[in-house]
Amino acid sequence: MNYELGKWYEAKRQVRALYGEYWKGILLKEKNVAVIFNFAGARRIHYGDFFDPETGTIRYVGEGKTGDQLLNARNRRLQAMSGNAALLDLFLDCGDLFSPKKLLYAGKWSVVQSAYKLLDGRKVHLFTLKAHSVSVINFLKFTFVDTTNAEFERSLKRFAKARHVIYDDFPEVLRARDNIAGEIGEYFAIKALNKSEKNTVIRLSSGLKDIDAIQTGNGTTYAIKTIGKIPQTTSNIWAKEPVRAVDYFVIALLSHQSLIPNCVLKISSRKAAQFLKRDNYQGAWKLQINERFVRLAKLLQGNIRLNGE
C-alpha cells in the first residue's frame, strides 16, 4: 500500500477500510501491517505510547486496554516482526482535527525489540519501533517537536542574497518573482504561530484546499498568505465561503531582498471578511491587505510602520 509521508488520509475510507478493521490500533491484512499511534493533541491519549525524538524511536504498547495483555493475533504479529527486516506503516492519530477524521502518515517503521513487562500496574506487550529512514525522523521532529529549522534559515540567507542580485542584474530576463516566497512565508508564519498559540501548529500538505496549517488539540485552522508590500492583494482563496473555510488568516510580509518577514499578522476570518474581494475572472477570492487590515490584525512577529504612526 503506497502512502505519502506527511499526507493526511481519511481514517475510515483510505486506511481502515483497506484492512477491514475500524476499531483496533494494530491493523493486519495478509503481509501488510499498520499501526495507529495516538500522537500530539489526540483526544484519547494512548496508554503508554511515547515518541522519543532524540533516539528516533517509538515505544508502542500492544493491544489490550485493561488488565494484563494477552498475546493475541495482533500482538503476536508485532512480536514476530521484532528484529527482522519486515516493515509496517505508521499513522498518527492527532485527534479529531478534520471531519471526516484523518490520519497523518508517518512512514515505514520496523520493530526492533519486544518485551512483556509491568507498566502502570499491569503487564503489557511493549514494542520499540524504529524509523526506516532519517527523513521520517526529521519530518516528525520538525512537525511536532521543533518547528524551527536553523540549517534552513542559514541556507536561506545565502540563497536570498544571490537571488536578489540576479533579479537586480537581469530584470529584462526575470520579469516576475518566483513563487518560492510563498513556501518561505509559510515556514515563518508557522514558526510565529508556534510561539503564540497554546498547542503545536503543524503545516499541512498541499492537498488540503485553503488550509495551510492546523493547531493540534483543538483543530483551529489557518490560511497563510505571503505578500511583499502594503497595500497588496493576496493570492487566490478558492473556498466558496472563506469565512467558514478557515478560522484565521495569517499574513507574512516578506522582504524581497532578505526573504525574512518584516512582520507576521493574524486575523480572524470574521474580521477578515470585510477585506475579501471576488475575482470573477478566476472564480476565487482575494484579501486586500491595507493599513486598516493591519490595524485590525494581531502582530505575531516583527514590526510595521504605518502612515501617521
Side-chain angles (χ1 to χ4, degrees), residues 143-174:
T143 303
F144 294 99
V145 181
D146 185 1
T147 55
T148 298
N149 190 317
E151 186 176 349
F152 164 73
E153 293 187 26
R154 286 193 295 269
S155 295
L156 181 62
K157 289 180 180 179
R158 298 194 298 270
F159 170 75
K161 185 177 180 180
R163 176 181 180 270
H164 181 67
V165 169
I166 197 171
Y167 272 119
D168 274 4
D169 288 352
F170 302 100
E172 70 282 1
V173 178
L174 304 174

Side-chain angles (χ1 to χ4, degrees), residues 96-102:
D96 298 335
L97 302 181
F98 299 97
S99 182
K101 186 170 182 175
K102 294 179 183 289

Side-chain angles (χ1 to χ4, degrees), residues 6-263:
K7 187 173 180 179
W8 294 82
Y9 292 90
E10 212 173 289
K12 289 186 177 180
R13 184 175 61 85
Q14 295 178 301
V15 180
R16 291 187 174 279
L18 300 180
Y19 290 86
E21 176 54 71
Y22 294 89
W23 300 106
K24 304 296 183 181
I26 303 172
L27 310 180
L28 307 177
K29 184 177 182 182
E30 299 172 351
K31 294 182 179 181
N32 297 309
V33 181
V35 163
I36 297 176
F37 177 70
N38 284 331
F39 205 66
R43 184 179 62 184
R44 300 174 299 281
I45 302 303
H46 217 287
Y47 36 91
D49 290 355
F50 176 73
F51 167 62
D52 185 347
E54 298 304 318
T55 63
T57 60
I58 281 177
R59 181 183 72 180
Y60 186 79
V61 179
E63 184 177 289
K65 291 185 178 181
T66 60
D68 292 346
Q69 290 184 345
L70 303 175
L71 189 60
N72 60 20
R74 290 174 175 78
N75 290 334
R76 185 180 294 109
R77 176 67 73 87
L78 292 190
Q79 185 184 73
M81 293 175 66
S82 180
N84 62 40
L87 297 175
L88 57 82
D89 288 308
L90 184 75
F91 293 89
L92 303 185
D93 181 349
C94 298
D96 298 335
L97 302 181
F98 299 97
S99 182
K101 186 170 182 175
K102 294 179 183 289
L103 300 172
L104 182 64
Y105 182 61
K108 299 282 187 180
W109 293 66
S110 60
V111 183
V112 295
Q113 188 177 4
S114 66
Y116 189 59
K117 57 176 61 177
L118 199 65
L119 179 68
D120 296 332
R122 68 190 187 113
K123 285 188 175 182
V124 299
H125 291 279
L126 286 177
F127 302 100
T128 302
L129 311 181
K130 185 177 181 180
H132 184 54
S133 67
V134 175
S135 61
V136 171
I137 295 303
N138 290 339
F139 164 72
L140 290 177
K141 284 183 177 180
F142 179 67
T143 303
F144 294 99
V145 181
D146 185 1
T147 55
T148 298
N149 190 317
E151 186 176 349
F152 164 73
E153 293 187 26
R154 286 193 295 269
S155 295
L156 181 62
K157 289 180 180 179
R158 298 194 298 270
F159 170 75
K161 185 177 180 180
R163 176 181 180 270
H164 181 67
V165 169
I166 197 171
Y167 272 119
D168 274 4
D169 288 352
F170 302 100
E172 70 282 1
V173 178
L174 304 174
R175 291 177 292 179
R177 299 275 172 173
D178 56 74
N179 60 8
I180 196 174
E183 299 284 333
I184 295 170
E186 282 190 18
Y187 166 81
F188 284 108
I190 292 173
K191 180 180 177 180
L193 285 168
N194 274 302
K195 290 181 179 179
S196 65
E197 304 294 64
K198 179 182 178 181
N199 305 306
T200 301
V201 175
I202 60 178
R203 192 175 183 179
L204 302 180
S205 65
S206 58
L208 294 163
K209 211 170 190 179
D210 291 319
I211 304 176
D212 299 305
I214 194 163
Q215 186 178 161
T216 61
N218 55 32
T220 299
T221 55
Y222 309 87
I224 301 171
K225 297 296 178 183
T226 302
I227 59 173
K229 62 182 180 180
I230 294 176
Q232 186 171 315
T233 301
T234 68
S235 59
N236 290 331
I237 302 166
W238 295 103
K240 291 182 179 180
E241 298 181 77
V243 174
R244 293 187 179 184
V246 294
D247 298 307
Y248 290 93
F249 288 97
V250 181
I251 307 299
L253 176 59
L254 205 67
S255 164
H256 279 310
Q257 182 171 348
S258 68
L259 294 179
I260 302 294
N262 295 316
C263 69

